[in-house]
Amino acid sequence: MKGTGLGGLSIQSLSLSHFRSHRATRLVLDGRPVAIVGPNGAGKTNILEAVSLLSPGRGLRRAAMDDLVRRPEAIGWKISAALVGPGAGHEVETFSEGGEARQVRIDGKAAPQLALGRLLRVLWLVPAMDRLWIEPAEGRRRFLDRMVLSFFPDHAEAALAYDKAMRERNRLLKEEITDARWYGALEAQMAEAGAQLDANRRAALARLAAAQEGAETAFPRADLTLTHPDDWGADLAQALAEGRRRDLAAGRTLLGPHRADLAGVYAAKGVPADQSSTGEQKALLLSLVLANARALKADLGAAPLLLLDEVAAHLDAARRAALYDEIVALGAQAWMTGTEAGLFDSLGARAQSFAVVEQGGLSVVQE
């Protein structure tokens, strides 16, 4: 698969204005991994969240725009970044004023959020995902689609088209409208977009499997399977039409790729991920993020950005060192947080380090 867009860029500078606990923060970077150290509540994760908003969507916390603005000023927030890469450089801004939908500018010109997915690939792993394998399917589906989006930037457009048609179909169902003509057009749109969603997901899983095959890594291989509670066969539109009576009773669409799930197995042990230990579940997630990064580097020629929040705290010294070695070997600009500088000792001069402290309710960053 050939890469779409520029891909593989890193951040040269990052500025936050009135973003959460950061009134005015600027980081100047050189492409190495970034270690951000500070006590809990100092504002470390806020920096990673800002970087995550340089990709489409609501960021790693899925926060409402109004929640991102610094109080008490509440005048809006802004994130600015200079991106660099082989033969390319771009200035990106994303911001929100008065709690309105966020806007994007690329090189000074207004752009849709989806354009960010073609410019910069961003993957993340945060503590809230530690229970991914044992919680409801929605979180696993979101995790899968974030990986899919890294391979196929148009995946977001297909998801938006599918969701828009499904919301309208659900409105008809709730209002108990039975006119088949109204449903037919919407179901055709859902079938077209749904086929692309399903194909993209399966292609991404194949890329992840290939990236794990024979890889030199300290993390266990995870075998993944895309599952559905219902089998709609080869024709989703027909299945939706046949399921209208059931959906009318439920008041919502009960069949389709929006109900997909991701099953994982700890390959070396043959144990389902949801039955593995807490440490093994975390290791499987790290393995998948690293495999995703390796596959993207093979496709695009450069690794994506990695956002790893408090990741070192869950690993012993040997596993931490192995993780850092793999990140450096990938050439990835990984952004990592931790409460103690010692967690990053084995990185040494291979990383840039920043300290974050809280002063009078503000986050202050020191290099």
Side-chain angles (χ1 to χ4, degrees):
M1 183 185 75
K2 294 192 178 295
T4 302
L6 296 171
L9 301 176
S10 62
I11 298 175
Q12 186 177 43
S13 67
L14 177 73
S15 297
L16 314 183
S17 175
H18 294 87
F19 182 82
R20 290 207 185 262
S21 58
H22 295 263
R23 178 182 289 168
T25 293
R26 177 175 168 81
L27 304 181
V28 178
L29 307 142
D30 59 17
R32 286 180 293 167
V34 179
I36 303 174
V37 178
N40 292 327
K44 305 184 302 295
T45 303
N46 295 343
I47 297 175
L48 268 61
E49 182 179 27
V51 176
S52 74
L53 287 167
L54 298 175
S55 64
R58 293 169 56 187
L60 58 79
R61 284 191 176 118
R62 295 183 55 76
M65 294 301 98
D66 193 47
D67 292 337
L68 300 177
V69 67
R70 172 170 166 72
R71 309 291 179 180
E73 298 96 327
I75 59 175
W77 56 267
K78 184 177 182 179
I79 302 164
S80 304
L83 310 181
V84 295
H90 296 275
E91 299 288 335
V92 174
E93 296 177 328
T94 185
F95 56 93
S96 174
E97 299 174 344
E100 298 296 324
R102 75 178 175 111
Q103 301 179 55
V104 173
R105 290 194 188 118
I106 298 176
D107 297 329
K109 299 179 180 179
Q113 272 194 49
L114 296 181
L116 294 172
R118 294 181 170 84
L119 196 66
L120 189 66
R121 314 300 167 93
V122 186
L123 309 176
W124 58 74
L125 189 60
V126 299
M129 296 163 66
D130 287 353
R131 296 174 57 83
L132 186 78
W133 299 112
I134 58 176
E135 292 189 337
E138 180 182 2
R140 288 186 295 277
R141 192 163 52 245
R142 193 158 50 239
F143 176 71
L144 170 60
D145 281 338
R146 171 59 53 178
M147 293 190 291
V148 176
L149 183 63
S150 73
F151 292 112
F152 306 103
D154 63 351
H155 188 69
E157 297 172 12
L160 287 173
Y162 181 88
D163 289 345
K164 181 179 179 181
M166 183 176 68
R167 284 196 303 270
E168 184 62 21
R169 184 178 188 269
N170 286 345
R171 184 185 66 80
L172 298 180
L173 293 169
K174 289 176 183 177
E175 294 176 1
E176 298 183 347
I177 293 171
T178 58
D179 190 328
R181 294 172 299 177
W182 289 27
Y183 285 98
L186 294 172
E187 289 163 356
Q189 294 171 29
M190 289 177 66
E192 181 179 0
Q196 185 176 355
L197 291 178
D198 193 61
N200 287 350
R201 287 168 173 169
R202 294 183 187 281
L205 292 183
R207 290 294 294 115
L208 290 170
Q212 291 185 94
E213 188 69 38
E216 295 184 9
T217 176
F219 296 89
R221 174 177 176 139
D223 288 341
L224 302 178
T225 305
L226 184 66
T227 66
H228 296 278
D230 296 289
D231 181 11
W232 60 77
D235 192 339
L236 177 58
Q238 180 179 342
L240 288 168
E242 293 173 351
R244 285 176 202 161
R245 184 182 298 276
R246 183 182 66 165
D247 291 352
L248 277 165
R252 66 186 189 279
T253 303
L254 298 176
L255 177 149
H258 65 287
R259 287 171 53 81
D261 197 358
L262 182 67
V265 173
Y266 190 129
K269 296 184 176 182
V271 176
D274 61 354
Q275 296 177 27
S276 299
S277 70
T278 301
E280 289 172 339
Q281 291 181 28
K282 182 76 173 188
L284 290 171
L285 289 174
L286 270 169
S287 178
L288 289 171
V289 170
L290 291 170
N292 194 168
R294 287 195 299 271
L296 285 172
K297 183 174 182 179
D299 291 346
L300 303 172
L305 292 187
L306 301 178
L307 308 181
L308 305 175
D309 192 24
E310 300 290 352
V311 67
H314 300 277
L315 304 174
D316 59 31
R319 190 61 68 83
R320 283 199 300 270
L323 172 63
Y324 302 153
D325 287 345
E326 292 193 36
I327 288 171
V328 171
L330 274 168
Q333 189 185 48
W335 296 64
M336 298 169 284
T337 64
T339 54
E340 301 174 14
L343 293 170
F344 302 105
D345 281 350
S346 59
L347 263 171
R350 297 181 297 173
Q352 265 185 291
S353 296
F354 296 89
V356 182
V357 296
E358 186 269 335
Q359 294 180 359
L362 291 173
S363 292
V364 178
V365 179
Q366 305 163 340
E367 186 169 3

